[in-house]
Amino acid sequence: MKEKELENNNILNAYTVLSTRPAEKFTSEKEHYHYNLINIPLTKLKRRKIDSSHIALIKKFDPDVIIITSSYGANIFIEDIWKRLHRKDLNFIAIGASTAEPLIKEGINVYIPENKSTNGIIELLKERIPRESRIIIMRSDKGNPILNRFLEMDKRDFVEIVLYNILEDFENRETLLNCLRSKDLSAIILTSSMEANIFFKILKDEKIKIHKETVIYAIGEPTKEKIISSGFTGKILTGKSNFESILNEIEKTNSGEWI
């Protein structure tokens, strides 16, 4: 093996990060980071069929605002709905930059809350969206109910359209166990509260403990809350609903140690 290859191999062995992101959201671009990034999905995403009845419902409801809460949902919207809607006067709210990106590429103007979370969306609605505005939420079947409760209590006219289902991915359990038992993990990234719930249930079932120096990154506050309620007392860092920003933060924070 060449000297450079040996050096790179040592770098990869020096810092290992485990992610449990769904395969549908994990792309090859993540491979350019200077650490060993292992992705073992604990959930999987299943698109729902968007047919003419959904388009008819949207047109009949005649929304003023569309809220989209994930990049996966944003891509479904662009591919299956946007060109069939023929509306250029809509306001859009995206939970974060990754969610907004597919919309912006289509020339859509998007509001992004400063606090990139469900609570941030609620604050943005209070500040910028008139109460009489009709709102459609487009997301998964595991969407945060806090948003719905706010809209109901605030007497807002809204409907919810489920674009995809989030399911537990049972196929990767043994792979995860092998990783936890054989790798010296420096960091773990959990990108949803559902992932966190599954992850800690597996740890409990198998009586596995996380090393006290391992950092857990939670993609947002609901995920952090689930990690804490699962009994983890180690270091938790919270992202801003953006997976790539967490990867970049790991790269930036640790670059001096192994570059």
Side-chain angles (χ1 to χ4, degrees):
M1 187 179 288
K2 296 179 181 178
E3 183 177 343
K4 187 66 177 177
E5 290 173 336
L6 283 168
E7 179 185 346
N8 287 338
N9 190 53
N10 288 334
I11 288 172
L12 290 177
N13 289 333
Y15 204 90
T16 300
V17 178
L18 169 67
S19 161
T20 60
R21 194 160 178 78
E24 296 84 355
K25 288 186 176 182
F26 189 86
T27 60
S28 59
E29 289 91 53
K30 311 300 183 297
E31 295 176 357
H32 71 272
Y33 292 99
H34 295 88
Y35 48 82
N36 187 19
L37 178 60
I38 303 169
N39 191 62
I40 304 175
L42 296 182
T43 59
K44 55 186 175 182
L45 311 181
K46 184 177 180 181
R47 291 173 72 144
R48 290 194 178 186
K49 183 179 180 181
I50 303 298
D51 57 28
S52 58
S53 66
H54 292 89
I55 305 303
L57 183 153
I58 296 168
K59 290 181 176 179
K60 183 177 180 180
F61 184 72
D62 192 25
D64 301 296
V65 180
I66 291 179
I67 299 173
I68 302 181
T69 62
S70 74
S71 57
Y72 191 70
N75 282 314
I76 294 173
F77 172 79
I78 293 300
E79 293 168 10
D80 295 352
I81 297 174
W82 180 233
K83 292 179 181 178
R84 300 159 71 183
L85 203 53
H86 304 297
R87 287 281 302 274
K88 300 294 184 182
D89 58 336
L90 289 165
N91 290 306
F92 284 81
I93 298 175
I95 199 167
S98 295
T99 303
E101 185 177 352
L103 306 173
I104 293 171
K105 285 182 178 179
E106 291 293 317
I108 297 171
N109 293 321
V110 186
Y111 290 118
I112 302 174
E114 184 175 348
N115 175 5
K116 297 171 179 61
S117 67
T118 300
N119 288 330
I121 290 175
I122 290 172
E123 290 304 312
L124 195 153
L125 288 169
K126 290 178 181 177
E127 294 171 6
R128 298 197 183 187
I129 306 300
R131 185 174 277 105
E132 64 271 16
S133 298
R134 293 177 298 279
I135 298 169
I136 290 183
I137 310 169
M138 295 190 178
R139 57 183 178 185
S140 77
D141 64 327
K142 300 294 191 301
N144 193 328
I146 291 174
L147 178 56
N148 297 58
R149 288 200 290 268
F150 162 75
L151 293 171
E152 290 167 356
M153 291 178 63
D154 207 40
K155 301 188 185 309
R156 304 262 185 163
D157 191 8
F158 78 99
V159 297
E160 180 180 75
I161 294 178
V162 176
L163 300 176
Y164 61 99
N165 297 335
I166 305 178
L167 308 170
E168 184 169 350
D169 191 337
F170 295 97
E171 296 178 4
N172 295 314
R173 183 185 178 97
E174 288 304 316
T175 304
L176 175 66
L177 291 174
N178 289 336
C179 176
L180 292 171
R181 288 166 175 159
S182 64
K183 301 289 184 182
D184 184 14
L185 297 175
S186 300
I188 298 168
I189 308 173
L190 300 173
T191 63
S192 74
S193 55
M194 184 175 175
E195 288 174 31
N197 188 56
I198 296 168
F199 180 76
F200 282 100
K201 184 179 185 305
I202 291 173
L203 293 188
K204 183 178 179 181
D205 291 346
E206 300 294 332
K207 296 180 173 56
I208 295 175
K209 293 189 179 298
I210 300 297
H211 194 281
K212 63 180 181 179
E213 295 182 1
T214 301
V215 179
I216 292 186
Y217 287 81
I219 199 164
E221 286 300 324
T223 305
K224 180 181 179 180
E225 290 169 9
K226 179 60 69 175
I227 293 168
I228 293 171
S229 68
S230 298
F232 182 73
T233 57
K235 186 174 183 180
I236 306 171
L237 297 177
T238 311
K240 297 180 179 179
S241 298
N242 189 305
F243 182 59
E244 289 198 17
S245 71
I246 294 175
L247 298 182
N248 291 335
E249 184 63 27
I250 294 172
E251 174 105 341
K252 176 183 175 182
T253 302
N254 297 285
S255 61
E257 296 178 11
W258 36 259
I259 290 180

